[in-house]
Amino acid sequence: MRRWASALALAALAACQPRPPVYGPVPTRPSPAPAPAPAPAPAAPAVVAPPPPAAARAPAVRVGLAVDTSAVSVTSDDRFAVRSEGGRQIVRLGPGQTARFTPSGRGSVSLEVIGGGGRGGVHPLPLVVEPEDIGTLQTRGARYRGALVVQQANAGSGLTLVNRVDMESYLLGVVPREIGRASEDIYQAVKAQAVAARTYAVKYMGRRSQQGFDVYPTVEDQVYGGVAAEDPIVFRAVAETAGEVLEYGGQPITAYYHSTCAGQTAAIEEVWNDRPQPYLVSVRDVDPRTGEAYDRASSRFRWTERWTHEQMVGILNRTLRDSLGGRRIGQIRGMDVTARTESGRVRSLVIDTDAGRYTVGRDRVRWILTPTRGGILNSSKFDVRLERSGGGVSAIVAEGGGWGHGIGMCQVGAMGRARAGQDYKTILSAYYPRTTLRDMY
């Protein structure tokens, strides 16, 4: 998600990308959502708002907060209890007390009650920690609605901590982290984001069941901030779209989204090794009244990256390591975009070096031409030129547009559409053509 033109509406978006191997097959199921570098989160309210109206009928989502960790500590400002998975109460704790869990042999855990009284001991896993009434639980520096489940890590000797929460409450912690700071002028974009995030979660329920949960709370799935991320405008947007998901052919769609498309989104097959989808096609994202892109306010609508020859040599020796076969690049002789996709993204980039010629395709180029500041290249929509001095290459410059993979909903574009008067249904139909909006519950 992102931040842009108006540092206000955008100060919360960060392109969400998949994490492929250094160099190899393009991942077939990269992370969809753009990742927010969250805007300053509002302080968690002293009194937690009640769950969204549809919470009781919404399916539960299991969020893997920590995987194979050595210890888990849970506390609360309210009364809470530790129970067996079957519901038997093991210990009841008061405000300020802490339940600390550490592994105690395969399939069991040692429970310690810190802060006065309480029975600990060794217990079989999983254990469920639940607040009383509408209270919240605190762990790992954040507060969460729902229950926290302490279970055996599937691949390791540690513990996995899962937040089991209803779908609508989950979205309260996702939408602000994905769309950025909400405001009334982009309210319809916030509603569109709520539907896209709900659809993504529904589509991937059970995706990570072997690990004991459904989704990560990071850009690997959707960024989830718990109670600290909650916002009154988002609460209203989630409530007004409660249960709504996008479908194609009677099934929830794969609702990918990203920050900035620079005026045109990408079809999924342009970017990854996925088969074409009739609703993940290239969409021209331009206001017909003005001829200007809806996401023109984005700070990444146009961008430039520059590397010295020495910097790029060092980067390529790392990012192309698996293809170098033990050789090392000492000199870059050329770098050319030899083919483009329909939406103008790089289909083929040829890198000519003294260690050989290497061709990089599609979204993979973002992990090959990494910026010197770290991370990955903003997008695969760019031109490259070489600066030469004394007969050799002195610098490499990439000039491009967009932020993220470019598939599905363009978040800053959705904001522009909202400001142009479009409602959330119109926004969703523009980015996910041929889909149907349906009440799932």
Side-chain angles (χ1 to χ4, degrees):
M1 299 30 76
R2 320 9 345 259
R3 291 138 289 255
W4 336 86
S6 76
L8 175 65
L10 307 166
L13 312 170
C16 142
Q17 318 313 334
R19 301 176 182 174
V22 172
Y23 186 70
V26 178
T28 58
R29 284 287 172 244
S31 147
V47 178
V48 178
R57 62 180 186 271
V61 181
R62 299 172 301 163
V63 187
L65 300 180
V67 178
D68 197 15
T69 187
S70 60
V72 169
S73 293
V74 182
T75 188
S76 179
D77 294 332
D78 309 285
R79 287 198 171 277
F80 64 109
V82 179
R83 296 186 172 89
S84 68
E85 181 75 325
R88 179 179 63 85
Q89 181 170 295
I90 294 171
V91 63
R92 187 168 183 248
L93 298 93
Q97 287 186 294
T98 298
R100 178 176 169 79
F101 305 88
T102 53
S104 181
R106 187 75 181 175
S108 63
V109 67
S110 175
L111 166 62
E112 178 187 6
V113 177
I114 302 172
R119 184 173 66 256
V122 176
H123 304 275
L125 291 169
L127 292 182
V128 181
V129 188
E130 294 179 312
E132 294 189 354
D133 301 321
I134 62 167
T136 62
L137 299 171
Q138 300 171 38
T139 186
R140 303 174 68 83
R143 299 170 66 195
Y144 297 96
R145 295 177 182 266
L148 294 174
V149 181
V150 182
Q151 58 194 41
Q152 179 71 52
N154 278 12
S157 59
L159 303 173
T160 289
L161 178 64
V162 175
N163 181 202
R164 191 163 63 197
V165 62
D166 71 88
M167 175 71 74
E168 300 303 300
S169 296
Y170 166 70
L171 293 176
L172 296 182
V174 168
V175 174
R177 289 291 191 254
E178 291 291 356
I179 196 70
R181 191 178 298 280
S183 56
E184 290 296 339
D185 63 325
I186 62 166
Y187 182 61
Q188 294 299 319
V190 179
K191 292 178 72 173
Q193 178 67 72
V195 173
R198 183 183 296 108
T199 304
Y200 176 82
V202 168
K203 177 70 173 181
Y204 284 118
M205 294 281 276
R207 177 189 188 190
R208 305 183 187 278
S209 58
Q210 288 189 336
Q211 294 172 271
F213 53 89
D214 298 312
V215 292
Y216 282 106
T218 66
V219 298
E220 292 186 60
D221 286 302
Q222 300 187 112
V223 180
Y224 171 58
V227 174
E230 294 183 8
D231 172 274
I233 293 178
V234 170
F235 195 102
R236 178 159 51 98
V238 169
E240 290 182 1
T241 63
E244 293 184 351
V245 297
L246 290 166
E247 289 188 346
Y248 178 82
Q251 297 296 320
I253 70 166
T254 305
Y256 289 135
Y257 52 93
H258 62 284
S259 166
T260 305
C261 65
Q264 186 159 358
T265 69
I268 189 169
E269 69 273 15
E270 293 182 57
V271 180
W272 302 321
N273 280 340
D274 275 23
R275 69 178 186 273
Q277 295 290 346
Y279 55 85
L280 294 177
V281 296
S282 181
V283 173
R284 189 167 184 267
D285 203 23
V286 173
D287 189 336
R289 302 169 304 174
T290 65
E292 294 186 307
Y294 284 111
D295 65 338
R296 64 188 180 279
S298 170
S299 63
R300 306 291 177 88
F301 184 71
R302 294 285 182 263
W303 49 263
T304 300
E305 291 286 349
R306 188 178 189 279
W307 303 264
T308 65
H309 178 269
E310 291 73 19
Q311 288 171 333
M312 183 59 78
V313 164
I315 289 168
L316 294 179
N317 276 318
R318 173 175 54 83
T319 60
L320 289 175
R321 182 174 59 246
D322 289 356
S323 294
L324 289 173
R327 299 182 297 276
R328 287 192 63 81
I329 296 171
Q331 182 180 10
I332 298 169
R333 296 169 175 165
M335 191 177 294
D336 297 292
V337 176
T338 57
R340 292 192 180 277
T341 68
E342 176 188 346
S343 65
R345 289 163 173 81
V346 172
R347 185 184 299 278
S348 177
L349 175 75
V350 175
I351 304 170
D352 186 13
T353 76
D354 58 350
R357 288 168 62 90
Y358 303 92
T359 300
V360 182
R362 297 183 290 187
D363 210 48
R364 184 188 301 160
V365 298
R366 302 174 62 203
W367 281 266
I368 302 302
L369 306 185
T370 59
T372 56
R373 64 179 178 279
I376 62 176
L377 198 62
N378 291 327
S379 78
S380 61
K381 191 173 186 176
F382 64 88
D383 293 311
V384 65
R385 60 182 172 84
L386 304 183
E387 295 179 355
R388 298 182 181 273
S389 177
V393 175
S394 59
I396 298 91
V397 181
E399 296 172 325
W403 192 6
H405 47 63
I407 303 168
M409 185 173 73
C410 173
Q411 292 168 303
V412 183
M415 296 177 192
R417 287 175 178 271
R419 293 191 181 102
Q422 296 182 19
D423 65 14
Y424 78 105
K425 294 181 181 180
T426 302
I427 293 170
L428 291 169
S429 65
Y431 293 117
Y432 306 106
R434 304 180 183 88
T435 60
T436 301
L437 190 63
R438 183 178 75 84
D439 286 329
M440 180 181 173
Y441 50 84

